[in-house]
Every structure is written in structure tokens, then in C-alpha cells.
Amino acid sequence: MTRIAVIDFETTGLSPAMGDRATEVAIVLLENGCVVDRFQSLMNAGVHIPAFITSLTGISNAMVAAAPEAASVMREASRFVGNAPMVAHNAAFDRKFWQAELARAGAAAAQPFACTMLVARRLYPQAPSHKLGVLVDYHHLPRAGRAHRALADAEMAASLLGQIQHDLRTRHRVGKPDHALLMTLQRCAKPAVPALMAKYANFEQA
């Protein structure tokens, strides 16, 4: 059984190092490529949400004022994920908030992160852009609710991950497009991708 947790945060800004905090988290749990569970919660980190963020996400100060305290949400999210490896679109962003918010909650954040944006740049260089919504439309995948809400974005990232794994199997003959391969692929220099794919296909056919 192969579990992967696909995560998305909504936040007050771009970086926890600059004092920004998470306002919402959503996680879609996949087993062997199928959605088996979901976790979603607003969270109250005790910080003000700028008006332009509210206009982007629809998340207001009143909404987070009524939400559970951030540390309790993050501890619950950590229990939900367990030791499953994680995936996010633009994972550098979500990983920073996962680590920072769990550190504030006194919990470990040891899960490795793979990035569907980095992988998509290597597999789909011809796509008009590598933003999540553009890639979802490019592959004719379903739109899942309002963009810039955590659950909708996590659902779309999970759909994109499914497309990536399907294409690795069918186009590149990779029998097991697992999380470890995604991690290898996202670090691979773009010119070296065909050789890497050939190596995995040959290895699994041997």
C-alpha cells in the first residue's frame, strides 16, 4: 500500500520567516492513487489577515476568529498525515509553513515533500505555464471549487499528481511512479530527464 498526503495552505503572506502565518490547511490522503480521506480546517493564529489576502482567498478575520487555535489544528493535521510522504504544488511554500506551524505546535515535521510544479516543468515543458490552475486546464482535469481555498487547491494538486503518475506509466513505461521517483525527477536537470526516464523504464523491465 502506497500512501501520499497532498497538502495546501492558505496564509497571510509568503514567508513564516517574515511573520506570516497559516489561516487554512487541507490535506487529501491518497492510497494507491485513490482518495481515501480528507482533512480541512481554518485556523486561528492570532494574526491579522490583510485585506488583499481576504480578497484573494475569501478568508476573513471574522472567519479565523471563530476557527480552532492554530497549534491544535496542526497537531491534528500531523496525526492525519502520519508518516506518509507529502506532495504540494510549489512545495517550497507549503513545506515552510508545515515546518514552521508544527514547530510552534511542538510537533515534528519529518515528512519529505515532492513538488508537482517542479515535476510538471520537467514532464510538460510545453505547457503555457506551470501554475496549478493552468496545468489543471491543460490536462482537462476537473476544477475543484474556488481556487485559493486550501481544499480546492489540494484536490486539484491531487488530480495533477494522478495525471503525472499516469503519464509516467504510459508514456515513460515507469512501472512504479512512486514518491521517491518524484523526488528524483524534481531534482533532475531538464536536459537529463529523458535519460532518467529511460533508466527507470529499463530498470523496471529488467
Side-chain angles (χ1 to χ4, degrees):
M1 185 185 301
T2 304
R3 285 194 167 201
I4 290 178
V6 182
I7 190 167
D8 185 79
F9 280 103
E10 300 304 329
T11 69
T12 61
L14 295 176
S15 173
M18 301 294 290
D20 296 315
R21 298 293 303 275
T23 56
E24 185 179 37
V25 61
I27 303 159
V28 176
L29 192 63
L30 304 173
E31 268 182 21
N32 301 320
C34 297
V35 177
V36 294
D37 208 352
R38 295 171 175 85
F39 175 90
Q40 180 274 332
S41 182
L42 292 166
M43 63 178 82
N44 185 354
V47 295
H48 179 77
I49 302 174
F52 79 94
I53 294 289
T54 296
S55 68
L56 179 68
T57 65
I59 299 172
S60 67
N61 285 290
M63 289 166 66
V64 296
E69 191 250 339
S72 65
V73 172
M74 290 303 301
R75 285 191 287 266
E76 190 177 350
S78 179
R79 287 191 294 269
F80 180 82
V81 170
N83 60 2
M86 303 186 78
V87 167
H89 198 76
N90 190 16
F93 173 87
D94 294 283
R95 183 178 64 242
K96 283 188 298 188
F97 280 94
W98 177 251
Q99 293 171 342
E101 293 291 348
L102 280 177
R104 287 175 176 270
Q111 297 86 352
F113 270 75
C115 180
T116 49
M117 184 175 71
L118 293 179
V119 173
R121 284 176 178 168
R122 284 147 180 81
L123 292 184
Y124 316 117
Q126 73 282 9
S129 98
H130 295 91
K131 292 180 179 178
L132 180 58
V134 173
L135 287 166
V136 163
D137 291 344
Y138 178 76
H139 289 292
H140 307 292
L141 300 170
R143 286 271 185 169
R146 174 179 175 149
H148 301 297
R149 285 302 299 266
L151 186 57
D153 285 354
E155 295 271 12
M156 289 192 291
S159 293
L160 177 59
L161 174 61
Q163 181 70 48
I164 287 169
Q165 291 176 313
H166 171 77
D167 290 342
L168 286 169
R169 288 189 190 96
T170 59
R171 296 184 188 177
H172 301 284
R173 305 186 312 283
V174 175
K176 189 182 177 186
D178 58 11
H179 192 273
L181 173 59
L182 299 175
M183 296 280 289
T184 300
L185 183 54
Q186 72 186 20
R187 292 191 294 261
C188 182
K190 292 177 186 178
V193 168
L196 178 68
M197 294 294 91
K199 174 186 170 184
Y200 269 83
N202 293 333
F203 174 77
E204 294 184 356
Q205 289 169 2

